[in-house]
Structure formats: structure tokens, C-alpha cells
């Protein structure tokens, strides 16, 4: 949620509403969504290249290490899917439009804040690695966070202004004044603490003539939050005379916040205040508006979900989820973050939102390429529970789902058909009972790759390589050889780190693993802010990430027949883009890998697995035009001036193979005859 203008208003009155804290020796409840956005946007990370997930993971790790050093015990609470009432749909669409505009700005060299596509999955993987307790709520987490914080009598860490409305016993610490990078020691000791500020609801109410706390939820819905945005409320606000009190110099939103709080402070309770609000509205609208406002005010009351039961004994009970009759294993997997909110949205609402990346806005959105994977996911989610038949999406045609997607620089809702699957795959409650072989077969068939192709590939990279095979086969993917090479070289970072830090592989460190790793890091660092973004390359890698994301969701839904890859060391956008530039100019794969034979061997395994699925045109480098050796089409001899000649002799073919990695030399005559760009 979030109340427009409230956070900046209370921060402008920091001396009145906040107290200084030396935070240590306590539990703290963290709004996970707010935290990973804050760490992503306020850590000087590169946002144009699709995610430097290694750098982001390092920031997250340092954040929690600061907490551990101060003996702070963090409990992270993540939002789940959209509310089952779907009352935030308008807000979500507005945010999707804003994200498109910011992504476009970033793509053309401007500013903006767009989270890389897999940032949430990376965040969860780091939490697991650090053994930080976390839970994924069934829908929005705010009320559950408030209820848990009050049960444990500990503060909340967030950037959501709604926590200025919740009646929190120990207060709310905004992220922007939580100085985790500047730990201090208590004088005369070696005990660390994190300087922070804590918002006091009592201080806010005292400032406004000791107003009743119970009036604040009404203030939130009148001011406008993510759930309520009624045009008719503007009529009330235009007619009522809002007393300003102190002069407002911060514009319309501060004027509204200050005026509403002053106005509400004159009433004894919400009932009296609400009756006065309705007097300003037409009689025909009063009942409906009253019902909506009362319903929205309930969002600030205590939740029925007891997250302490989950953290203490692994039990997550959500009445809204139970009433839908979803399979028990699905509810457990959602709470543990083993299934994404994308899955619960598809299950409950039959609608998903496809998030825009920094991509080429003139091309179809990057998610198009992963549509066949999503159709299989939707097929697995059909016919789940009779309780869902009365939901708002029941007007959709059978076997269909809706997707909110980018079209040019706007959004559109598209209808997508689910794939009809065999009978034993249609009952979601029994999906986990299928054999590993059956689940793996469905995953690999969806990705159009045979298991034998993946046999030489390390387990941790089987899913990314299978995804790469799918990506290469798709007609919308315009990947060239250097794109594939850069992607595979980027996948070597994790194995190289394992070699470097392995105590029983000292010879590898001396043999070049460290040298190669440092060379890759140098290439990453050369991709600095201000470097021109190659939009076509960015779009190609966005397509790959969309495929990986949806393949991961399908893999999770099938109870991970393939190991989940370590995203924190799988893809670094700055590195992959930098490698693309180097491979097109001064560097060859062979020269780069020559310093580490073990890495070269792994690269060859990865390349061999993908090359069988690559169009032959992808595996051939650009060469000089040789019109004499071009085959003439039967219909005529007119050729585009930018067509490129072919490799026409065996010696040249082997030179290409040596420079660009292992290539198929079977059917050489067919390759020699092919034309390429």
C-alpha cells in the first residue's frame, strides 16, 4: 500500500515525529519488498544491463552481516500475489505504465529505477544462503507484518508510509534513515549498533491536537492509498475547507496531508468523522462510498495470520487461502517462497502481470518468447478447485488466462490459451506424486531439449543451458554467435569462484582460474555508466532472462526436477554486455580461455550442448562479401547490399571453429552452401 505524500510530510517533521535509536539486541520485522527495492536502487548498481546480480547479492549479504554484528535478529516478510479481491488492479496497471516509461528512459541513456527481472529470486537465494528467516505471505504483507511486530514487541523496517498509520507498539524505522553502512560502537564497549530513527504514532497524534489514533485509517483512505482512488472523493476534498495550521510550502500533496489531519482532529471517532465526509457527497453515492471506505479502513486492523507460528514451527495458516481450497503442498510452497507470486496470481485470478525490462520498446515485449512455457504453466494450474469458480475471472473463456503486457510504450491485457496436458498432469493436488522422470520429461519437452544433451553439463547449469537451447530455437530470438559466447562465458564465473576457493584445488588457482576470473571482472568494470547501451543486445538478453524466469517457475511447480541455478553467480549484465563488445573487437574465446584449461573444458561442454540447437547462421562469423561465391536464387539475382558471403573452404571453416569455439563440422557441404548475415 502507501499513502500519497505522507512519508515526505512526516520526514519534514523529523524532530516532532521521530526519535533516535541505537538499534541492537532485538528482533526486527523487515518488509522484504521494500528492502530489496531499497538495496537495488540505493547501492549505485548498474540498472541498464538486465541486472548485476552478483553485485546485488553482495550488497544484500553486507546488509544482513551488519545486522548480525549488532545482534539484531531479522525476520523478512515478503508480499505474495495480488489480493483476491483484485482491488489494487488499477494501481498495479498505473505502476506498470510508470515502469515502462522509466525502462524506456534508461534504455535511451536517461534516468530511472527499474528492478532487474530476477531480483526477487536473487534476494530469496541470498536469504537462504545466510539462513535469514523469511516468509512469503499469500497476498499483501503489511497487516501480517504489523501483527507479528506487535506480538513480538519489536520494530518494523520498511519504506511504506502505511506503517505511519498502523498502531505499532515499538514503532516503525524507515529504511532511508537506517544507517546500516555506518555501524557505531557503544561508548566504552565493543558492542555495535546501527543508528536509526523510529516513527512515533503518539507523537503524530499529539501534534494534531491529541487526535484519536482510530481516525488515522480514515485519513489514509481519504488521502488516497493504493486501494482507494475514488474520483468522487475529490468532490469532498474540493468542498470541505481543510484547515492548514502551519503554512504548507511543499505543494498539493503536503497541503492535503496537513489539511486532512487538522480537519479530522476535530472529531471524536471514525463514525462521527465518516458521517461528516458523507454529507459532502450526493445522497445516491453515500451508501456505496461508505461501504468502500469502511472496507478499506479494515486493511489497517490486525491480521488473522499468525506469522509467529510459521517462524516457530513452520505452520502458515491464512484464512483467505484456505477458503479457496488450494492444495496443501501449494500453500506450503508459497509460504516458503518455493513458488512465486506469479503462480498464485495465475491460480487465484487467472491473470498475471509481465514486468517490463530495459529493452527495445520498438520490438515486441521480451516476454513473447517465453509464451509457450507460460502456456504449460497455465495448463498445470487449470481445474484446481471448485471454490475458485465464483472468483472475478469467471467471465474468462474456459482454458484461458489473461496477461497484462507491454505493447510499445503502453500496456494491454491479452488472452492466452493454456495447453491441455495429459490427465495425470491435470490434478494439481497430485502433481507432486508424479515420478521424477515424468516431471523432468515435461520440463525438458517444454524447453525442447533432450536429456542426453545435458548429460555433460554440471547439475547447477543444466536448467540455464536447457533454457539457452530453447532461446536459440525460438524464431523471435535474434541472437548472434557473440551473444551466445558472452552468455556462456558469464556462466563460468560461479565455477571459477569455486575453483579459486576450493582448498583441494590449489593447482587450479595457480593454473589460471584466478587470472581468468580477474580478467572477467575487469571486462565487467569497463562497462561503466555512460557507456552506450546496445538496444538490440539488451533486448536479446532480456528475452533470455524471460525464458529463464518462466522455466524456473515451471521447474518449481514441478518440484524442481532440475536443480535451481545459483542466480547470484549465473548472470551479470555488465559482464555479458562487456564481453559482447570485446568479442566483436579484440578478444576471442580461445585466447581468453587459454589461461585456464579447466574453464575451457567446461565452456566446451556448455557450447556443445547449445550448438545443436543454434541455427547454422548463428555459428558463422561475419565475413567480407564475396559475390562470386553467392548462390543465386532461382527467382532472380537482385541481392540486398548488406548480404554476406559464405565460408567456402575447409581451411577457413576450421579457422572459424578454432576461434569461436567447438562447431559442428558434420554436413559441412550444407553449411558451406548456406548464406548468412
Amino acid at each position: 500500500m502507501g499513502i500519497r505524500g505522507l512519508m515526505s510530510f512526516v520526514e519534514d517533521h523529523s524532530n516532532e515525529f521521530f526519535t533516535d535509536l541505537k538499534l541492537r539486541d532485538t528482533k526486527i520485522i523487515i518488509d522484504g519488498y521494500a528492502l530489496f527495492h531499497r538495496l537495488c536502487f540505493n547501492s549505485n548498481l548498474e540498472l541498464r544491463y538486465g541486472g548485476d546480480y552478483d553485485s546485488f547479492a553482495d550488497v544484500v549479504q553486507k546488509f544482513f552481516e551488519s545486522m548480525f554484528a549488532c545482534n539484531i535478529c531479522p525476520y523478512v516478510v515478503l508480499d505474495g500475489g495480488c489480493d483476491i479481491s483484485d482491488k489494487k488492479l488499477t494501481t498495479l496497471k498505473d505502476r506498470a505504465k510508470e515502469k515502462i516509461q522509466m525502462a524506456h528512459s534508461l534504455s535511451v541513456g536517461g534516468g530511472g529505477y527499474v528492478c532487474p527481472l530476477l531480483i526477487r529470486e536473487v534476494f530469496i537465494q541470498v536469504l537462504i544462503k545466510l539462513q535469514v528467516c523469511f516468509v512469503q505471505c499469500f497476498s499483501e504483507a503489511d497487516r501480517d507484518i504489523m501483527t507479528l511486530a506487535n506480538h513480538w514487541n519489536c520494530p518494523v523496517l520498511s519504506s511504506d508510509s502505511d506503517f505511519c498509520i498502523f498502531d505499532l507498539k515499538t514503532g516503525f524505522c524507515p529504511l532511508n534513515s537506517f544507517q546500516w553502512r555506518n555501524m557505531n560502537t557503544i561508548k566504552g564497549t565493543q558492542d555495535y549498533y546501527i543508528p536509526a530513527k523510529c516513527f512515533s504514532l503518539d507523537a503524530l497524534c499529539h501534534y494534531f491536537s491529541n487526535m484519536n489514533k482510530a481516525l488515522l485509517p480514515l485519513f489514509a483512505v481519504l488521502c488516497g492509498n493504493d486501494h482507494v482512488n475514488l474520483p468522487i472523493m475529490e468532490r469532498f476534498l474540493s468542498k470541505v475547507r481543510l484547515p492548514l495550521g502551519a503554512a504548507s510550502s511543499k505543494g498539493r500533496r503536503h497541503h492535503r496531508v496537513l489539511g486532512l489531519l487538522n480537519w479530522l482532529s476535530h472529531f471524536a471517532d471514525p463514525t462521527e468523522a465518516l458521517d461528516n465526509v458523507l454529507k459532502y457527497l450526493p445522497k445516491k453515492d453515500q451508501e456505496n462510498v461508505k461501504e468502500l471506505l469502511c472496507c478499506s479502513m479494515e486493511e489497517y486492523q490486525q491480521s488473522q495470520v499468525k506469522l509467529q507460528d510459521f517462524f516457530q514451527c513452520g505452520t502458515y495458516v491464512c484464512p483467505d487461502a484456505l477458503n479457496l481450497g488450494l492444495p496443501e503442498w501449494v500453500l506450503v510452497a508459497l509460504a516458503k517462497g518455493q513458488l512465486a507470486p506469479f503462480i498464485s496470481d495465475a491460480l487465484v485470478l487467472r491473470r498475471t502481470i509481465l514486468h517490463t525490462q530495459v529493452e527495445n520498446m520498438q520490438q515486441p515485449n521480451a516476454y513473447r518468447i517465453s509464451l509457450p512455457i507460460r502456456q504449460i504453466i497455465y495448463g498445470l494450474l487449470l481445474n484446481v478447485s471448485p471454490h475458485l469458480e465464483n472468483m472475478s475471472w469467471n467471465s474468462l473463456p474456459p482454458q484461458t488466462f489473461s496477461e497484462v503486457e507491454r505493447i510499445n510504450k503502453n500496456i494491454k491485457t491479452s488472452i492466452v490459451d493454456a495447453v491441455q496436458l495429459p490427465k495425470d498432469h491435470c490434478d494439481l493436488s497430485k502433481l507432486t506424486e508424479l515420478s521424477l522422470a515424468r516431471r523432468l520429461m515435461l520440463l525438458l519437452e517444454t524447453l525442447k531439449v533432450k536429456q542426453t544433451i545435458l548429460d555433460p553439463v554440471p547439475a547447477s547449469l543444466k536448467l540455464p543451458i536447457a533454457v539457452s537451447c530453447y532461446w536459440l530455437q525460438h524464431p523471435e530470438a535474434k541472437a548472434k554467435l557473440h551473444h551466445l559466447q558472452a552468455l556462456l562465458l558469464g556462466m563460468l564465473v560461479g565455477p571459477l569462484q569455486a575453483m579459486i576457493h576450493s582448498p583441494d584445488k590449489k593447482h587450479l588457482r595457480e593454473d589460471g582460474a584466478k587470472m581468468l576470473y580477474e580478467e572477467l571482472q575487469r571486462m565487467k568494470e569497463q562497462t561503466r555508466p555512460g557507456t552506450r547501451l546496445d538496444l538490440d543486445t539488451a533486448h536479446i538478453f532480456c528475452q533470455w532472462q524471460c525464458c529463464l524466469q518462466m522455466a524456473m517457475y515451471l521447474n518449481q511447480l514441478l518440484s524442481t526436477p532440475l536443480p535451481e541455478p545459483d542466480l547470484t553467480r549465473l548472470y551479470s549484465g555488465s559482464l555479458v554486455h562487456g564481453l559482447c563488445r570485446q568479442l566483436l573487437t579484440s578478444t576471442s574465446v580461445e585466447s581468453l580461455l587459454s589461461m585456464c584449461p579447466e574453464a575451457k573444458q567446461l565452456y566446451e561442454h556448455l557450447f556443445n550442448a547449445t550448438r545443436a540447437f543454434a541455427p547454422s547462421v548463428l555459428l558463422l562469423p561475419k565475413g567480407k562479401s564475396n559475390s562470386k561465391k553467392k548462390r543465386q536464387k532461382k527467382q532472380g539475382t537482385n541481392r540486398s547490399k548488406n548480404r554476406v558471403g559464405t565460408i567456402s573452404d575447409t581451411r577457413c571453416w576450421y579457422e572459424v571453429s578454432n576461434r569461436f569455439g567447438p562447431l559442428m563440422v558434420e554436413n559441412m557441404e550444407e553449411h558451406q552452401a548456406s548464406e548468412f548475415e
Side-chain angles (χ1 to χ4, degrees):
M1 292 190 279
I3 297 122
R4 301 177 190 107
L6 178 58
M7 186 58 74
S8 60
F9 172 78
V10 297
E11 286 174 346
D12 280 353
H13 294 75
S14 178
N15 293 335
E16 290 94 344
F17 303 149
F18 288 89
T19 56
D20 291 327
L21 284 185
K22 296 178 179 179
L23 208 63
R24 61 168 286 102
D25 299 324
T26 182
K27 292 177 179 175
I28 191 166
I29 315 303
I30 300 177
D31 177 350
Y33 179 88
L35 176 61
F36 74 71
H37 277 78
R38 179 82 187 181
L39 295 180
C40 180
F41 296 152
N42 291 77
S43 302
N44 200 30
L45 300 179
E46 178 57 69
L47 298 176
R48 295 178 302 154
Y49 297 110
D52 285 352
Y53 296 123
D54 50 351
S55 301
F56 173 72
D58 291 342
V59 171
V60 176
Q61 179 161 332
K62 288 174 184 173
F63 174 87
F64 285 106
E65 285 174 349
S66 294
M67 290 203 147
F68 300 152
C70 300
N71 197 30
I72 298 170
C73 185
Y75 291 85
V76 177
V77 183
L78 290 158
D79 290 329
C82 297
D83 189 279
I84 57 175
S85 68
D86 218 12
K87 56 193 170 190
K88 278 185 67 172
L89 180 58
T90 300
T91 299
L92 291 171
K93 286 185 174 181
D94 288 342
R95 287 181 180 170
K97 292 175 185 175
E98 291 170 5
K99 187 178 287 188
I100 290 170
Q101 296 306 316
M102 284 193 285
H104 173 67
S105 174
L106 284 166
S107 74
V108 295
Y113 295 98
V114 177
C115 270
L117 190 65
L118 301 171
I119 207 83
R120 180 192 177 96
E121 284 71 30
V122 172
F123 182 66
I124 288 175
Q125 287 188 354
V126 178
L127 295 181
I128 293 170
K129 176 185 174 184
L130 298 177
Q131 297 184 331
V132 174
C133 296
F134 74 96
V135 64
Q136 180 174 272
C137 295
F138 186 67
S139 55
E140 198 164 70
D142 290 3
R143 292 174 65 199
D144 297 346
I145 290 173
M146 178 266 289
T147 305
L148 178 62
N150 282 343
H151 178 80
W152 279 344
N153 201 28
C154 64
V156 168
L157 183 63
S158 178
S159 56
D160 191 333
S161 56
D162 277 307
F163 290 104
C164 296
I165 304 299
F166 288 118
D167 191 2
L168 291 162
K169 293 178 183 178
T170 316
F172 153 53
C173 298
L175 275 163
N176 61 358
S177 56
F178 187 75
Q179 299 178 53
W180 64 272
R181 289 185 172 96
N182 301 309
M183 288 188 298
N184 289 326
T185 54
I186 296 174
K187 191 173 182 179
T189 74
Q190 292 184 339
D191 297 332
Y192 287 102
Y193 69 86
I194 295 176
K197 290 186 178 294
C198 186
F199 174 78
S200 168
L201 190 66
D202 289 333
L204 177 71
C205 291
H206 177 74
Y207 185 85
F208 288 98
S209 307
N210 291 315
M211 72 183 293
N212 185 349
K213 289 180 186 178
L215 288 161
L216 289 173
L218 178 58
F219 156 75
V221 298
L222 290 176
C223 199
N225 63 13
D226 289 349
H227 288 167
V228 178
N229 188 20
L230 284 177
I232 199 168
M233 295 315 300
E234 293 297 326
R235 178 167 182 166
F236 154 71
L237 292 166
S238 66
K239 288 192 172 185
V240 67
R241 288 190 174 184
L242 297 179
L244 277 183
S248 173
S249 60
K250 293 289 184 177
R252 185 166 172 263
R253 284 188 176 177
H254 275 216
H255 175 99
R256 176 173 293 188
V257 168
L258 187 60
L260 272 173
L261 287 170
N262 270 316
W263 185 77
L264 286 169
S265 68
H266 293 91
F267 301 105
D269 55 49
T271 302
E272 181 187 357
L274 185 56
D275 288 342
N276 274 271
V277 169
L278 296 175
K279 287 194 304 186
Y280 291 93
L281 304 180
K283 284 190 176 181
K284 64 182 178 65
D285 297 320
Q286 288 180 5
E287 241 357 270
N288 287 338
V289 171
K290 182 178 181 179
E291 184 179 348
L292 178 62
L293 293 179
C294 289
C295 180
S296 298
M297 288 164 63
E298 289 177 7
E299 295 294 330
Y300 295 93
Q301 303 306 310
Q302 184 163 302
S303 167
Q304 293 179 283
V305 178
K306 297 178 179 179
L307 290 183
Q308 64 269 21
D309 291 345
F310 178 83
F311 287 123
Q312 289 166 351
C313 55
T315 305
Y316 180 84
V317 179
C318 173
D320 286 342
L322 290 175
N323 291 338
L324 296 174
L326 300 177
E328 175 67 19
W329 79 266
V330 171
L331 296 177
V332 171
L334 285 169
K336 291 182 177 180
Q338 295 166 350
L339 288 176
F342 176 92
I343 298 296
S344 57
D345 283 347
L347 260 176
V348 176
L349 302 171
R350 280 214 191 165
R351 189 210 64 234
T352 57
I353 297 176
L354 307 180
H355 298 289
T356 300
Q357 303 172 77
V358 182
E359 55 192 79
N360 190 337
M361 300 292 169
Q362 294 181 344
Q363 292 190 31
N365 80 73
Y367 266 108
R368 290 288 182 91
I369 193 171
S370 62
L371 176 59
I373 306 175
R374 297 198 302 279
Q375 288 177 300
I376 295 292
I377 292 174
Y378 299 151
L380 291 169
L381 300 180
L382 284 172
N383 308 317
V384 178
S385 165
H387 297 274
L388 295 174
E389 292 177 1
N390 297 321
M391 296 300 292
S392 59
W393 47 257
N394 60 5
S395 59
L396 280 173
Q399 314 283 320
T400 61
F401 290 72
S402 66
E403 295 181 336
V404 179
E405 63 172 343
R406 176 185 69 81
I407 302 293
N408 297 318
K409 284 188 279 185
N410 211 325
I411 61 169
K412 176 187 176 183
T413 300
S414 303
I415 303 301
V416 172
D417 291 325
V419 169
Q420 290 191 335
L421 297 168
K423 288 184 179 179
D424 58 351
H425 291 77
C426 289
D427 188 348
L428 188 63
S429 63
K430 296 180 180 178
L431 189 58
T432 54
E433 298 173 16
L434 286 178
S435 68
L436 172 62
R438 293 295 302 278
R439 288 181 281 117
L440 180 59
M441 183 186 299
L442 177 58
L443 176 65
L444 295 183
E445 284 180 351
T446 303
L447 298 178
K448 303 177 183 176
V449 61
K450 292 182 179 179
Q451 188 172 348
T452 52
I453 295 290
L454 301 177
D455 285 344
V457 175
S460 60
L461 293 176
K462 286 184 186 294
L463 185 59
I465 291 301
V467 166
S468 301
C469 293
Y470 171 91
W471 170 68
L472 289 170
Q473 294 176 76
H474 202 282
E476 276 192 37
K478 307 298 183 185
K480 301 294 190 294
L481 178 59
H482 64 283
H483 297 131
L484 176 60
Q485 291 174 319
L487 193 60
L488 298 182
L489 287 169
M491 291 182 192
L492 298 181
V493 169
L496 283 170
Q497 287 182 320
M499 293 178 198
I500 293 167
H501 296 109
S502 174
D504 59 345
K505 293 187 177 180
K506 186 178 179 182
H507 68 286
L508 292 180
R509 296 200 294 274
E510 295 173 350
D511 237 354
K514 192 172 182 179
M515 288 174 57
L516 177 56
Y517 176 77
E518 290 173 350
E519 178 64 15
L520 292 176
Q521 291 304 110
R522 186 186 65 79
M523 288 187 178
K524 176 186 173 183
E525 290 167 6
Q526 285 183 338
T527 313
R528 299 187 182 280
T531 307
R532 182 179 172 274
L533 178 67
D534 183 328
L535 263 184
D536 290 335
T537 292
H539 199 82
I540 286 164
F541 288 133
C542 284
Q543 290 175 320
W544 182 82
Q545 282 207 68
C546 288
C547 296
L548 179 62
Q549 183 191 51
M550 288 304 150
M552 285 182 64
Y553 292 170
L554 176 58
N555 191 48
Q556 290 171 349
L557 194 55
L558 295 170
S559 301
T560 57
L562 287 179
E564 190 159 290
D566 179 3
L567 297 173
T568 67
R569 298 294 181 259
L570 180 72
Y571 179 88
S572 170
S574 293
L575 171 60
V576 171
H577 279 256
L579 280 164
C580 279
R581 281 191 284 271
Q582 291 290 325
L583 291 169
L584 282 174
T585 54
S586 59
T587 304
S588 71
V589 171
E590 185 182 47
S591 63
L592 191 60
L593 295 179
S594 62
M595 62 186 78
C596 184
E598 291 77 10
K600 181 178 181 181
Q601 183 179 36
L602 174 55
Y603 172 85
E604 288 175 351
H605 286 317
L606 303 183
F607 192 92
N608 285 335
T610 55
R611 71 179 187 183
F613 298 91
S616 59
V617 295
L618 180 143
L619 298 175
L620 298 174
K622 288 190 176 183
K624 293 182 178 179
S625 178
N626 187 345
S627 58
K628 291 182 180 179
K629 294 183 180 179
K630 283 184 178 179
R631 300 178 104 197
Q632 302 296 326
K633 288 185 179 179
K634 292 182 180 179
Q635 285 89 350
T637 60
N638 289 332
R639 299 288 179 164
S640 171
K641 291 182 181 179
N642 65 352
R643 297 298 292 272
V644 188
T646 62
I647 304 277
S648 60
D649 63 67
T650 304
R651 179 186 57 79
C652 192
W653 175 258
Y654 278 106
E655 286 177 1
V656 172
S657 180
N658 287 333
R659 182 170 191 266
F660 288 86
L663 306 176
M664 284 206 288
V665 294
E666 298 92 337
N667 303 319
M668 188 174 296
E669 291 181 359
E670 178 184 342
H671 283 296
Q672 290 171 349
S674 66
E675 293 185 355
F676 60 93
E677 295 181 355

